Every structure is written in C-alpha cells, then in structure tokens.
Amino acid sequence: RAKKDGPGRVLAYQPYMHAEALDHLSLRGDLQRALRDGEFRLQYQPLIRLADGKPVGAEALIRWYSPTRGFVSPVDFIPIAEEFGLIIDIGQWALETSAVQVARWRRDFPDLGLNVNVSGHQLVHPRFADNVMKALAIAGLPSSAVTLELTESVLMSEPDLGKAALHQLRGLGVQLSIDDFGTGYSSLAYLRELPVDELKIDRAFIARAELTGEDLALVRTIVELAQILGLRVVAEGIENAAQLAALRRLGCGYGQGYHLCRPTDAAEVPAKLLRASIAVLG
Ligand code: C2E
Ligand code: MG
Ligand code: MG
Ligand code: MG
C-alpha cells in the first residue's frame, strides 16, 4: 500500500496511480537538480504608494524554467517542494538572492524595501530566524528593509509555533506581512496578537473593487481594519484604472498589480521603478 505522506513515503505499484506517482517522484529529482543547476529565477513586482506613486518596495516572485518541463508556476511546484522538504533550500536561495539584489538597487533607491514570500515550512524550521539574518548579512541589507510575507492560512495552521518565530524575527527588526488576507480565517483577536506590520488584501477582492456595493464595502472594511490596528495595507492584483481609483478613494496605502507594473526581470526593474508613478498619477 502507498503511504500518503511523511519523509519515509513509500510508493507501491498501483496501476491507477502509476503515471501520477512517477511524475511526482521525477518532480522531486527535477526540483533538486533545478536548484543545483540554477534553473530558478526571481522576478520582482514593485509595491507602489498609491497617494503619490512612489515605489516603496519590490516583491520577489520565484520562477522555474525547466529544460524538460518548460515554465512551471510556483503555484504548482511550491507545494511539491514543501512536501519533499526542498522548500527550505529553495526558500533560502530566494531570500539570499533577492536580498543581494535589493541591496544593490538601494544605491539608487535608498528607501526601497524587499518583500519575500515565506513558506510555513520555513517559518517553523528551528533555524529560520538565523537563516533570515544570514541572508541579510550576506547582502548587507538592514533587517528593517525586509518584509516576510506569510499567508493567512499558514499562520492559522501553526498558531503557536508560528507566533514564537514571528516574535523572534520582529525582535530582530524584520517586518511581517499577512499575504492573501481575507481568504483565511483570522479572528480579530488573533490578528491583534500577531506581531505583523502589513496586510495584503487578496486579489480576489480587488478584482471586483471597481464595483459599488458589497465588494467595495468589503475592501473598505479591510482598509479600515488595518488603520485601526496600525498596519500598512497593500492591495494586490490591481489590473485597471477603475480599481486603482476606487482604492485611492478608500485610502488604501499601497498597491501592486499588472496595471501598475508586471512582475519583471531584475535588469528591467530600475527603469520600471522610475516610471512607476506615471501609472498612478496618470
Ligand atoms: P502571492 O505572493 O500572493 O503573489 C501574487 C501573485 O499574483 C503572483 O503570482 C503575481 O505574479 C500575481 N499578480 C501580480 N499582479 C497581478 C495582477 O494584477 N493580476 C493577476 N491576476 N495576478 C497578479 P505568481 O508569481 O505566479 O506567484 C504565485 C504564488 O506563489 C505567490 O502568491 C506566492 O504565494 C508563491 N510564491 C512565489 N514566489 C515564492 C517564493 O519565493 N517562495 C514561496 N514560499 N512562495 C512563493
Ligand atoms: Mg506574496
Ligand atoms: Mg498574495
Ligand atoms: Mg496569492
């Protein structure tokens, strides 16, 4: 019988699962090789202050260009990397690479911050805080320039373990963000206790933000909640001028999205940062 999970995962032959299981196993090998052979890349998407169009940061987004599979979305390979424990090394690579990159950009954009996505598996790793500080030391990037993005569902699934790590990192000066906010189940009480600095409103809400009525009211409520709790609020997935205008009217502090700037290769980012305010101010 096939054992479902755990490090000692054993796969016995079952005709119906053969192709899937084989692909799963070969994915593991491919992911290990990908890190070794440099098949991962990072793109960066600017975070823009909506009041004046100032670029305040860049979110690192991992890409995998596999010689055999072609482009593989992080939505598809991150869960596999987590399952096989490979996310620790892949996540550390993303952290170190993006920290070095942003430290370089800060010579021309001194206040630019870095947002990095972090898996729950990294968060609960006993050396996570050390690993983060190591990346910052390698890059020469101050901890205050870094915001770690954790999804709401990760924070809710590891409430105690996660909270300790978050407090430790906060104590070291690193900032914390709840990604995809509104899709999980954070209670208000839990949100108050968490040492977070930023909420990122999930793009599912923003997609309908140009409408009046309930959708807009929901976004307004998250913006007000962030204000009450003293948190930065970022709208992700801004795709058109109407959404942007609605968010500015609501007083949403920051935004990201294709309408402002697409995720971009590192070489193109400085030029995009210089032009970022044009999309906001028109
Ligand atoms: P996320 O952190 O919520 O990132 C936002 C996603 O929305 C990105 O997808 C981005 O390319 C996309 N996006 C940005 N603006 C728009 C827009 O205007 N419209 C639409 N439709 N989409 C937009 P991407 O790059 O495919 O990443 C997907 C997810 O993969 C991320 O969601 C994040 O959870 C995860 N991920 C990416 N890089 C890393 C990483 O280095 N480590 C970890 N653990 N997870 C990562
Ligand atoms: Mg994110
Ligand atoms: Mg998100
Ligand atoms: Mg997302």
Side-chain angles (χ1 to χ4, degrees):
R1 266 193 68 89
K3 201 161 152 268
K4 265 264 177 276
D5 33 38
R9 186 185 160 97
V10 176
L11 291 166
Y13 178 73
Q14 297 284 339
Y16 66 87
M17 62 179 267
H18 189 61
E20 202 192 329
L22 270 184
D23 185 57
H24 209 68
L25 283 175
S26 76
L27 243 177
R28 174 193 203 160
D30 285 1
L31 279 168
Q32 277 165 331
R33 265 189 301 277
L35 191 59
R36 194 191 62 203
D37 297 349
E39 293 167 16
F40 293 117
R41 293 274 178 280
L42 291 175
Q43 286 193 316
Y44 297 86
Q45 186 177 38
L47 280 81
I48 306 294
R49 188 161 66 198
L50 296 184
D52 60 1
K54 182 184 162 134
V56 295
E59 178 177 2
L61 295 161
I62 196 167
R63 273 85 186 87
W64 180 22
Y65 300 98
S66 160
T68 52
R69 296 169 186 272
F71 174 75
V72 187
S73 164
V75 174
D76 295 320
F77 75 80
I78 296 280
I80 312 284
E82 289 176 333
E83 183 182 346
F84 289 127
L86 302 171
I87 192 65
I88 302 296
D89 287 345
I90 295 173
Q92 188 64 17
W93 172 84
L95 196 56
E96 290 176 10
T97 305
S98 60
V100 167
Q101 184 60 75
V102 168
R104 212 172 283 153
W105 288 332
R106 277 164 66 92
R107 293 178 206 150
D108 293 317
F109 303 91
D111 312 324
L112 197 73
L114 166 64
N115 275 48
V116 195
N117 296 286
V118 167
S119 156
H121 293 246
Q122 289 171 272
L123 177 68
V124 300
H125 190 280
R127 279 193 302 282
F128 182 54
D130 292 342
N131 290 343
V132 172
M133 297 318 281
K134 180 183 155 221
L136 300 189
I138 289 170
L141 191 65
S143 57
S144 59
V146 175
T147 301
L148 302 178
E149 297 191 6
L150 288 139
T151 63
E152 195 179 9
S153 51
V154 158
L155 292 171
M156 293 312 291
S157 66
E158 294 287 351
D160 294 326
L161 213 46
K163 217 190 287 175
L166 293 179
H167 278 286
Q168 193 187 355
L169 284 159
R170 232 314 186 70
L172 293 167
V174 174
Q175 303 195 54
L176 304 166
S177 173
I178 306 186
D179 204 350
D180 302 344
F181 186 77
T183 59
Y185 306 91
S186 298
S187 70
L188 287 179
Y190 187 64
L191 202 56
R192 258 185 95 171
E193 271 177 51
L194 275 181
V196 297
D197 303 275
E198 178 181 284
L199 298 183
K200 295 187 83 168
I201 309 173
D202 192 74
R203 70 167 185 264
F205 298 98
I206 307 305
R208 298 179 300 233
E210 77 268 39
L211 303 180
T212 50
E214 277 178 18
D215 297 319
L216 190 64
L218 216 49
V219 174
R220 177 187 295 122
T221 303
I222 299 179
V223 170
E224 285 172 0
L225 177 66
Q227 281 162 354
I228 290 166
L229 296 173
L231 307 176
R232 286 197 302 271
V233 61
V234 183
E236 54 176 34
I238 302 173
E239 291 187 350
N240 59 51
Q243 292 164 358
L244 175 63
L247 289 161
R248 292 185 76 192
R249 273 197 302 274
L250 291 181
C252 179
Y254 303 89
Q256 254 179 295
Y258 295 165
H259 181 66
L260 300 172
C261 189
R262 290 192 170 250
T264 303
D265 292 340
E268 320 290 323
V269 167
K272 295 278 171 91
L273 293 176
L274 287 172
R275 284 200 300 268
S277 59
I278 295 171
V280 170
L281 302 177

